[in-house]
Amino acid sequence: MKILVTTKRVEHYESKIRINAEGTGIVTDGLTYMINPFDEIALEEAVRLKGEHDAEVVAVSIGSDDATQQLRTALAIGADRAILVKVDQPLDSDCAAHVLKAIVEREEPNLVLMGKQAIDDDANQTAQLLAEYLGWPQATFAAKTESLESEAEKQKEPAIEVDDDTATVVREIDGGLETVELDLPAVISVDLRLNVPRYPALPNIIKAKKKPLDEVTLDDLGVSANAKVTVLGYEPLPERKAGVTVESVQELLDKLQNEAKVL
Amino acid sequence: MASILLIAEQYKGSLRKVTFNGLGFAKQAAEQLGLDLHILIAGSDVGGIADELQGYGAKAIHVADDSDLEIYRTEPYTQVVCKLADEIDAQMITAAATVQGKDLLPRIAGRLGAGMASDIVEMLEDGTFKRPVWAGSVIARVRVETDRKVVSTRGTAFEAPKKGDDTADVNEVDVSLDEADKVRVEDMEETKSERPELTEARVVVSGGRSMKDDKGVKMIEELSDLLGAAMGASRAACDAGLVPNELQVGQTGKVVAPELYFAIGISGAIQHLAGMKGSKVIVAINKDPEAPIFQLADYGLVADMFKVVPEMVEEIKKRKGA
């Protein structure tokens, strides 16, 4: 079995994001970067499945040379190989899906595991678009309900199980949890609640330096970077008017009733 | 005439409330772009729901009624929507960015060769869109370059329109699905709650890790119930196992925008703020006066929740009784 997993390089989730003076992008000075947290969960799940199924895990990232760092981290966590698709500019979701389709056609994995969205553009489209372009079934938002420190979590009942031809996925939907069975090959996008990603151990970080990391370009893949969605600019959130501090429960409820009129 | 197609969403025979927020956008877009408004409702035995969609200026309401559509699945719904979109020359296809909307719309965009703007909060006069990015830290203005566009709308960013007395044609959609679906729904475990859905509630009361244990959780529950509110929680509270994960409000949980939001014992991590900063009125209660949540709050009370929440419960009961 072969599993392809995406590892997009994004700003750390605790970063304070500020817009540059021209409104054309964000201020990157002082920011730190990480594997998209949802992709981290997909990677963890891929490595877990590898332990069960003797699978090969291939990590792919679309980005600049800097994304090599995230791919090395993925290799240290347990991916066997990595592919960097080198681009100068960020791609929109549709282009990213076409790139991944080309990679899937080369690699022929049984399963693609991806974060449900990247925490920079928050679009939540690429997994679904990829599944569509491949003509594969999709299961989005693979998740578990157990809290991360609960007994059930410690017993690790997985929300994704695979055999030769099918995958069974527990997914979070509005109103509950749904279990679906889908034919492989398939695309599965993962939600926060699937697992707790591991940290790479030091010996593995050293070993990861020797694992193969290939670089390809859009030309190599025969994909053109025609965006269907263009970002024209960024602006700050509308200002909220300054709040007031209240001294007591009485005063709070008075204000909610009489001033804000929401109680 | 070209049209805009709103995909209404039902769950077990009831329309989701956010469908009407999505309808608010669709109606506005129809007027602005000079398109006919069409609405699709899909499911099994959903004919009755069509009546609830009357009075919103639609030219037609399309009912796709088939036992194969009873439970939402990506492929059958994609086929139904794409076929209808071609028949009515839909230039824009839209739905609320619910779990179903998020699963379905990109697939439709891919099949129709359309570009998609996710989770928009505004459409500008020039037809471009505003949408929050980086967990709602900033707003991006985006242009969809294709003639046909797919758009998902964020929660309550658009107001539900007023119901009028106009009548739309009701059209029964001929449902003929290609090929066996490669996805089979095996099981559905419903969340049991007497409280309103987080994303649809007028009031949300959220607790943080400061709830500490069951006693703290009970306090937040009692206040929620007294206010008829949905209960939410911070990621820290969910991670600690104090409450189930589906209560999580934040970038990694649910995005809510109620009229009134209580953040109790929540410091205000960026990822939590992203999930609730669209709320109309925000109340923060925290014993740490430096907690970032106070910068966002309309009303802040620096106090220990174990002291003031029971006090609030008593006082609200008193005022309700008066």
Side-chain angles (χ1 to χ4, degrees), chain B residues 269-282:
Chain B
I270 286 175
Q271 90 92 22
H272 183 76
L273 303 183
M276 45 66 77
K277 61 171 57 153
S279 307
K280 209 166 131 206
V281 175
I282 296 171

Side-chain angles (χ1 to χ4, degrees), chain A residues 19-56:
Chain A
I19 302 165
N20 65 22
E22 302 78 32
T24 53
I26 60 167
V27 180
T28 53
D29 295 351
L31 290 183
T32 55
Y33 289 81
M34 65 182 298
I35 297 177
N36 172 37
F38 294 108
D39 285 342
E40 256 185 344
I41 293 164
L43 175 63
E44 174 66 32
E45 198 67 11
V47 173
R48 189 186 67 71
L49 287 167
K50 171 180 154 175
E52 282 177 16
H53 295 277
D54 188 27
E56 184 188 23

Side-chain angles (χ1 to χ4, degrees), chain B residues 250-312:
Chain B
Q251 191 216 0
T252 51
K254 303 259 160 64
V255 176
V256 302
E259 273 181 51
L260 177 57
Y261 187 89
F262 287 89
I264 301 177
I266 292 177
S267 61
I270 286 175
Q271 90 92 22
H272 183 76
L273 303 183
M276 45 66 77
K277 61 171 57 153
S279 307
K280 209 166 131 206
V281 175
I282 296 171
V283 176
I285 300 176
N286 202 301
K287 59 182 179 193
D288 174 11
E290 302 299 322
I293 189 79
F294 284 120
Q295 291 168 23
L296 200 71
D298 299 283
Y299 301 105
L301 177 59
V302 180
D304 182 356
M305 66 165 276
F306 286 93
K307 182 178 164 289
V308 295
V309 173
E311 212 180 310
M312 274 174 78

Side-chain angles (χ1 to χ4, degrees), chain A residues 11 13-19 25-26 38 94 116-126 128-129 131-133 135-141 144-150 166 168 171-183 191-193 227-238 240-263, chain B residues 9 11 16 71-72 74-75 78 98-100 102-103 106-107 109-111 113-118 128 130-146 182-191 197 202 209 227 235 238-241 243-246 248 251-254 259-260 262 270 277-283 285 296-302 308 311-312 315-316 318-319:
Chain A
E11 291 72 24
Y13 69 88
E14 282 168 345
S15 306
K16 177 114 184 101
I17 302 294
R18 286 173 300 134
I19 302 165
I26 60 167
F38 294 108
D94 191 74
K116 66 167 180 179
Q117 67 194 62
I119 63 161
D120 48 9
D121 70 3
D122 289 331
N124 196 332
Q125 296 184 15
T126 308
Q128 296 90 316
L129 286 168
E132 172 63 21
Y133 294 144
W136 288 7
Q138 71 190 39
T140 49
F141 314 120
K144 294 171 44 169
T145 41
E146 288 89 19
S147 295
L148 297 179
E149 292 176 17
S150 68
T166 58
T168 306
R171 55 188 299 264
E172 188 171 338
I173 61 171
D174 287 324
L177 281 185
E178 184 183 76
T179 305
V180 295
E181 184 191 70
L182 55 168
D183 295 344
D191 214 324
L192 183 76
R193 296 289 140 190
K228 286 186 178 153
V229 177
T230 313
V231 177
L232 303 172
Y234 297 98
E235 56 189 71
L237 293 177
R240 285 188 82 95
K241 65 173 173 44
V244 295
T245 305
V246 295
E247 300 300 328
S248 67
V249 166
Q250 293 284 351
E251 189 188 347
L252 174 62
L253 294 178
D254 287 344
K255 289 219 188 289
L256 290 177
Q257 277 184 317
N258 307 323
E259 193 176 272
K261 296 190 171 41
V262 285
L263 261 195
Chain B
E9 183 177 338
Y11 181 65
R16 290 218 190 258
I71 299 170
Y72 165 79
T74 316
E75 180 58 29
T78 302
T98 57
V99 169
Q100 178 182 314
K102 288 172 181 172
D103 185 82
R107 195 96 197 196
R111 198 158 302 181
M116 169 167 170
S118 299
T128 59
K130 285 188 182 182
R131 53 180 304 267
V133 290
W134 277 287
S137 306
V138 296
I139 300 286
R141 191 159 72 83
V142 301
R143 185 172 62 216
V144 178
E145 305 289 359
T146 49
K182 295 173 180 167
V183 179
R184 297 161 291 280
V185 176
E186 307 267 289
D187 186 41
M188 165 73 188
E189 188 185 320
E190 276 183 63
T191 312
E197 283 260 341
R202 192 187 74 85
R209 189 153 191 164
L227 295 169
R235 178 171 172 176
C238 295
D239 284 356
V243 292
N245 297 315
E246 65 252 24
Q248 190 193 137
Q251 191 216 0
T252 51
K254 303 259 160 64
E259 273 181 51
L260 177 57
F262 287 89
I270 286 175
K277 61 171 57 153
S279 307
K280 209 166 131 206
V281 175
I282 296 171
V283 176
I285 300 176
L296 200 71
D298 299 283
Y299 301 105
L301 177 59
V302 180
V308 295
E311 212 180 310
M312 274 174 78
E315 183 62 25
I316 292 168
K318 222 193 300 173
R319 292 187 188 202

Side-chain angles (χ1 to χ4, degrees), chain B residues 5-52:
Chain B
L5 175 61
L6 171 80
I7 306 164
E9 183 177 338
Q10 56 90 19
Y11 181 65
K12 292 190 148 185
S14 302
L15 277 175
R16 290 218 190 258
K17 227 171 108 187
V18 284
T19 282
F20 293 98
N21 301 97
L23 187 52
F25 163 74
K27 211 171 169 230
Q28 178 207 327
E31 281 159 24
Q32 187 178 323
L33 303 169
L35 301 170
D36 282 338
L37 173 62
H38 289 244
I39 304 173
L40 167 69
I41 177 74
S44 178
D45 282 328
V46 288
I49 296 179
D51 290 344
E52 292 176 48

